[in-house]
Amino acid sequence: MPSSAALAEHAPSSMSDIARDQVKQVRQQVGAVVAAAPAAGPGRKDPAVCPTDDEALTPRKKDTRTWDYVWRSGVAGGMAGCAAKTLVAPLDRVKILFQASNPQFAKYTGSSFGVATAMKDIYLTEGTRGLYRGHSATLLRIFPYAGIKFLAYEQIRAMLIPDKHHETPLRRLLSGSLAGVTSVFFTYPLEVVRVRLAFETKRDGRSSLRSICRQIYNEQPPQKSATARLPNAPLPVAAEAVKAPNGHVGLINFYRGFAPTLLGMLPYAGMSFLTHDTVSDLMRHPAIAKHTTLPRKANHPEGKPAALKSWAELTTGGVAGLVSQTASYPLEVIRRRMQVGGAVGDGRKLKLGETARTIFRERGIRGFFVGLTIGYVKVVPMVAVSFYTYERMKLVFGI
């Protein structure tokens, strides 16, 4: 049996051996953790419960304020707008004629097949080009309009909704509304020109884009002593003499109906983006996600929900267009009447309230919903194709 002296002599060495072993084990564990960290990568995250929870678990990695993201989202939005407008250009031409109460097409507004009959009439009198009259101005306007709208939405949304905790229906609505107002401010003059081109139905002596712009610029309120004249007739010498010298008066004519446009854009763009985002969340619900979403690719942007399948994305966009059109249609009718105010009657510019009273006096409440059926027929495929093209182009551009 070892003596107490021997035990005392070996105790320190035994305790030091135990401590050394423990330190070695700790170092091995720490080394294993450090070695495993690079393999997982800096973007490692816990799996999400459902596809829409990704941004709640991991902060959004994409920087929406970089120039690369700005031009990619702008081009994607512009291409989406052009594709959508080209699809529904013939319906848009007929809708404008109905909304603006064109005398030649007023007889078709109360008929069940009025839209088809009006399109047939246009085709017989003007040919296929008649169905796309004003479409060149439409594309010229829609590319910057849609590009600015989608770009502004991405930027404004990133500011109002920095993370998932701030994502509320009100913030989504405000993001869409402000994006719509921003885009329409920069592109509204082209919209006025497009409506004027689409409003014309005469076969001979059609106005060119340049002459339409000149006519809109030179339109002046009728003088009390002035005699009546045709819209395309040259101004008499007396009228030229009393024409205001300030050039800004003419530029203001390109913003006819701008006030109701802003009022109409608030519910239209706001409800459009709000409905699209909300229905998209429903489409990505875990119960149906496997049927509605596409598999994530290797280059899928981090923090972005899985893309919807084609039918799901088109359905989401169609529902968004249906809701937004219903909410904003009365103000759209008022805007169309104000835009063509210089081409009909005595050329006097009508105010918002005056135009609304005129429409109500002519047709009552139903007058504010003239052409709504064709509006539904047009807006469902248009908005569906717009959102579908935009989301697919974002995948192509990797944003």
Side-chain angles (χ1 to χ4, degrees):
M1 180 176 179
S3 62
S4 58
L7 291 174
E9 180 180 355
H10 289 285
S13 62
S14 300
M15 293 176 63
S16 62
D17 291 341
I18 295 174
R20 190 181 301 110
D21 293 340
Q22 292 178 347
V23 171
K24 185 177 181 180
Q25 292 177 0
V26 171
R27 287 179 177 176
Q28 291 176 350
Q29 293 175 357
V30 173
V33 172
V34 173
R44 182 175 59 87
K45 62 179 181 178
D46 296 330
V49 177
C50 67
T52 55
D53 288 340
D54 289 338
E55 293 181 4
L57 295 174
T58 303
R60 194 176 296 174
K61 298 295 182 182
K62 57 184 179 181
D63 187 0
T64 60
R65 298 188 180 183
T66 62
W67 169 247
D68 185 67
Y69 189 92
V70 167
W71 81 260
R72 288 173 186 266
S73 59
V75 171
M79 295 179 67
C82 290
K85 277 294 186 179
T86 301
L87 177 68
V88 299
L91 292 173
D92 201 29
R93 171 82 198 280
V94 176
K95 190 187 75 168
I96 290 176
L97 294 173
F98 282 3
Q99 287 180 333
S101 298
N102 186 286
Q104 183 177 342
F105 289 86
K107 57 185 177 182
Y108 299 130
T109 57
S111 173
S112 302
F113 300 96
V115 174
T117 307
M119 293 180 64
K120 180 180 178 181
D121 190 358
I122 295 174
Y123 177 77
L124 293 176
T125 56
E126 303 181 44
T128 304
R129 296 181 61 183
L131 296 173
Y132 288 88
R133 180 155 179 78
H135 188 57
S136 58
T138 298
L139 296 180
L140 184 64
R141 178 194 71 93
I142 200 62
F143 187 89
Y145 168 79
I148 294 174
K149 182 179 69 173
F150 282 105
L151 168 61
Y153 178 72
E154 297 284 356
Q155 300 298 317
I156 296 173
R157 190 182 192 278
M159 291 187 293
L160 295 182
I161 310 177
D163 52 56
K164 198 71 175 179
H165 300 291
H166 292 83
E167 190 155 6
T168 63
L170 179 59
R171 290 175 182 266
R172 285 179 170 179
L173 180 67
L174 289 176
S175 299
S177 298
L178 293 177
V181 170
T182 302
S183 61
V184 78
F185 176 79
F186 289 103
T187 60
Y188 189 78
L190 292 172
E191 166 71 1
V192 175
V193 174
R194 180 185 74 90
V195 171
R196 285 294 186 88
L197 287 172
F199 182 76
E200 288 190 350
T201 57
K202 53 189 177 184
R203 299 185 59 182
D204 300 324
R206 293 171 181 163
S207 302
S208 64
L209 181 62
R210 183 176 180 180
S211 63
I212 283 288
C213 292
R214 187 186 301 113
Q215 176 186 340
I216 296 174
Y217 182 87
N218 292 325
E219 286 172 356
Q220 296 289 335
Q223 302 295 326
K224 292 183 179 180
S225 59
T227 58
R229 62 181 179 86
L230 296 175
N232 290 324
L235 287 171
V237 178
E240 288 282 0
V242 299
K243 188 167 62 175
N246 188 357
H248 291 288
V249 174
L251 294 177
I252 291 178
N253 290 337
F254 286 94
Y255 282 85
R256 284 182 189 265
F258 187 63
T261 298
L262 290 181
L263 294 178
M265 186 55 63
L266 291 174
Y268 180 81
M271 292 300 297
S272 179
F273 282 106
L274 170 62
T275 306
H276 176 267
D277 290 354
T278 302
V279 179
S280 295
D281 289 345
L282 295 176
M283 287 289 186
R284 293 188 178 96
H285 191 275
I288 60 173
K290 63 180 180 180
H291 303 293
T292 59
T293 59
L294 295 172
R296 293 173 184 266
K297 296 183 179 179
N299 62 343
H300 190 83
E302 185 178 0
K304 181 180 178 180
L308 295 175
K309 293 182 178 180
S310 298
W311 72 266
E313 187 63 61
L314 290 171
T315 301
T316 300
V319 174
L322 196 67
V323 174
S324 59
Q325 181 77 351
T326 304
S328 63
Y329 196 80
L331 286 170
E332 184 179 356
V333 173
I334 296 175
R335 173 168 62 95
R336 299 295 191 197
R337 289 292 292 270
M338 294 180 70
Q339 286 174 338
V340 300
V344 296
D346 58 6
R348 183 169 59 90
K349 291 185 288 188
L350 299 177
K351 296 181 179 180
L352 174 62
E354 188 176 1
T355 305
R357 287 193 294 270
T358 301
I359 295 174
F360 181 79
R361 184 170 56 252
E362 291 177 352
R363 301 189 179 184
I365 295 296
R366 296 183 59 182
F368 293 99
F369 295 93
V370 171
L372 181 58
T373 301
I374 189 176
Y376 284 146
V377 173
K378 187 199 82 166
V379 81
V380 171
M382 184 186 72
V383 179
V385 170
S386 178
F387 276 113
Y388 173 80
T389 306
Y390 179 65
E391 293 296 335
R392 289 300 183 266
M393 291 306 301
K394 287 175 66 177
L395 292 178
V396 172
F397 288 151
I399 57 176

